Amino acid sequence: MASLEEGGTQVVITPTDFLPGHEARGVRRRLGGGAGGAGAPAGGSTAAGEAREDDAGGSGSSGGGPSGGKTAARQRRLAVLSRCRRGLDVAATAVFLLQPCLELLLPRGAGGGAGALASLAALLTGPLAKATAVLGVLLLARRILTFRRWRDEHAQVPRFIVCFAAMVSELAVENCAVWLVSAWDQHKYDNVPGLQDNVAIAVHVLSSRSRLLAVLAGWRWANILHFLGGLLALAFSVLWDQVPYSGFGIMSRVVLTVACSRVLRMACFMCTVLPNPRPGCYRRRFPPVPAGLWDTVKLGYTTIRGFGGCNDLIFSGHGAFWVLAPLAFRTYYPGRRTSTAVMWLALAHACVKDVVDEQHYSVDMFLAVVVTWAVWDWLAWVYPAEESVLPRRPPGSPPDALNPGVVGLILGCLAIAGVIVIGGKA
């Protein structure tokens, strides 16, 4: 062991400093004025430094400096990347690309010489698609029964239940608010013209000059079922060990983001009543307003209003949900993934399509993405990606027991989601 003076501070060099790789780890211990205190013995200071280094898990940090922190973050990211598998990327990409590819390659209603293609398209999008869905459900059920890592999922169940209950409660209140803001609109029976939307104008001008842009602007690529399917693919991918996280943990952050972002949305559209892009909506879709306040409020709960009301509900509820799929993949399935890129493209196209179809103004779609993204980042503490990586199980470890209540919870949540999305015609 040797010592030398460095900047007025005594530095002790141990034999391990000369081993390969130790120069990057900062094995040298500073004595006198260090963390151990001026009166601490040399041996105690060295032991404390070694303990701190062991606690860091060999992350490569050299004492908390900027370069050491970046190195540790990079190593953590590489560790997560090494445990993410390609199967999820293929499955999620297929969710978004299978149907549009079939529609482009095998158009329905083709006549003449394309009759065989039309028949094949009807088979692929009809009976064969249903058979594939049934097979997928059976494979999912089998995997649930044979999953070995249920203890990690059970630990996240209480958190998920709280977050899911918050989302359902918010959606119930918002469902009534969508009706009330339309019913209390003083100009609901007037043909109030919509606001000028420069994005819609630009799309129409460009579409008139380009056949390709006209086709893209009129083509419906992805809807809420695609983005919901992407989120479910990510959550259930833990059953195949595609990501080193808990499915319940991931969905806890997803559903709480839905709840919090839509609270902000409800506050926005209840504060200021904006005209619908399609004049005369109220007369077509809603009944006369009852005379009493209580009767008016009760009417707000007679229908699931998944497709909105008859005012511009700034910001878009659909856009706020769509953006969750690429955000969740970006956070819990890192790397250069084809599926994540496809989701961002599908999101951009869906937002422009809603503007062209006069479902929302472009500001609604823009704010939906920005606000929801901000809420997603604010709620990182719900299930932080860096701190929630699950440890590897030792080879040969016994499987965890399955709790039937957890299976019932999964089925119940899927049923509620189906009612909201399909029953509400969202």
Side-chain angles (χ1 to χ4, degrees):
M1 179 182 297
S3 64
L4 53 87
E5 293 292 324
E6 183 176 282
T9 303
Q10 184 183 8
V11 178
V12 177
I13 303 178
T14 65
T16 55
D17 284 86
F18 300 99
L19 295 177
H22 278 288
E23 63 273 15
R25 294 179 56 197
V27 175
R28 297 187 302 172
R29 310 298 177 195
R30 295 184 178 274
L31 304 179
S45 178
T46 303
E50 292 175 351
R52 285 193 299 271
E53 194 168 43
D54 291 340
D55 289 341
S59 61
S61 174
S62 59
S67 60
K70 292 180 180 179
T71 302
R74 183 174 181 273
Q75 291 184 347
R76 287 194 298 268
R77 178 178 175 82
L78 291 176
V80 173
L81 287 174
S82 67
R83 297 180 60 184
C84 292
R85 301 182 180 179
R86 299 283 299 177
L88 174 60
D89 198 30
V90 175
T93 302
V95 168
F96 279 83
L97 293 184
L98 182 60
Q99 179 181 344
C101 286
L102 289 176
E103 291 181 353
L104 290 175
L105 298 176
L106 303 172
R108 288 178 176 269
L117 290 179
S119 300
L120 180 58
L123 175 64
L124 292 177
T125 58
L128 188 58
K130 294 179 181 179
T132 303
V134 172
L135 179 61
V137 171
L138 293 177
L139 290 176
L140 178 61
R142 180 180 181 277
R143 196 67 183 185
I144 288 176
L145 296 176
T146 59
F147 185 50
R148 302 174 62 88
R149 199 164 43 82
W150 276 113
R151 187 170 68 248
D152 296 325
E153 296 299 322
H154 294 165
Q156 302 297 328
V157 166
R159 182 193 318 236
F160 173 77
I161 292 177
V162 172
C163 296
F164 191 81
M167 182 191 71
V168 173
S169 301
E170 191 285 330
L171 291 177
V173 175
E174 183 185 348
N175 190 76
C176 183
V178 168
W179 149 253
L180 291 178
V181 70
S182 298
W184 292 343
D185 182 7
Q186 297 179 1
H187 302 283
K188 56 181 172 290
Y189 292 117
D190 301 336
N191 289 326
V192 180
L195 303 177
Q196 176 178 326
D197 195 302
N198 292 332
V199 172
I201 295 174
V203 171
H204 288 304
V205 170
L206 294 175
S207 298
S208 65
R209 299 180 180 180
S210 171
R211 175 62 181 170
L212 177 60
L213 290 178
V215 171
L216 291 176
W219 175 45
R220 172 62 69 178
W221 174 7
N223 55 37
I224 194 171
L225 292 177
H226 291 86
F227 293 99
L228 177 60
L231 288 172
L232 293 179
L234 176 62
F236 284 120
S237 71
V238 302
L239 300 175
W240 284 268
D241 293 324
Q242 295 293 308
V243 294
Y245 295 103
S246 160
F248 278 113
I250 294 172
M251 293 307 293
S252 296
R253 186 172 175 183
V254 168
V255 297
L256 191 60
T257 301
V258 172
C260 295
S261 62
R262 295 181 82 100
V263 166
L264 296 175
R265 172 183 186 250
M266 184 168 54
C268 289
F269 70 69
M270 290 296 287
C271 286
T272 304
V273 179
L274 297 177
N276 192 285
R278 294 182 177 181
C281 171
Y282 189 90
R283 187 178 289 103
R284 295 192 303 267
R285 293 183 55 190
F286 285 125
V289 182
L293 175 61
W294 177 242
D295 292 332
T296 303
V297 173
K298 285 195 301 182
L299 190 58
Y301 290 98
T302 58
T303 305
I304 300 177
R305 308 184 191 280
F307 207 73
C310 271
N311 297 91
D312 177 59
L313 303 181
I314 187 169
F315 46 88
S316 169
H318 287 87
F321 181 81
W322 295 339
V323 72
L324 288 172
L327 285 176
F329 270 72
R330 170 181 169 270
T331 303
Y332 298 108
Y333 192 50
R336 296 181 178 178
R337 307 293 180 184
T338 302
S339 55
T340 307
V342 168
M343 287 180 190
W344 284 117
L345 289 175
L347 171 67
H349 182 270
C351 289
V352 174
K353 179 62 175 173
D354 259 25
V355 173
V356 173
D357 289 347
E358 297 182 336
Q359 300 293 340
H360 277 286
Y361 298 114
S362 55
V363 66
D364 301 333
M365 313 311 299
F366 175 77
L367 288 178
V369 174
V370 172
V371 173
T372 306
W373 196 330
V375 173
W376 176 264
D377 287 344
W378 293 339
L379 296 178
W381 56 268
V382 175
Y383 192 65
E386 290 188 357
E387 302 172 15
S388 304
V389 179
L390 298 175
R392 294 181 182 272
R393 292 289 182 92
S397 58
D400 300 332
L402 171 62
N403 187 338
V406 174
V407 178
L409 176 63
I410 294 173
L411 296 177
C413 292
L414 289 177
I416 293 174
V419 170
I420 294 173
V421 174
I422 300 175
K425 299 178 181 180

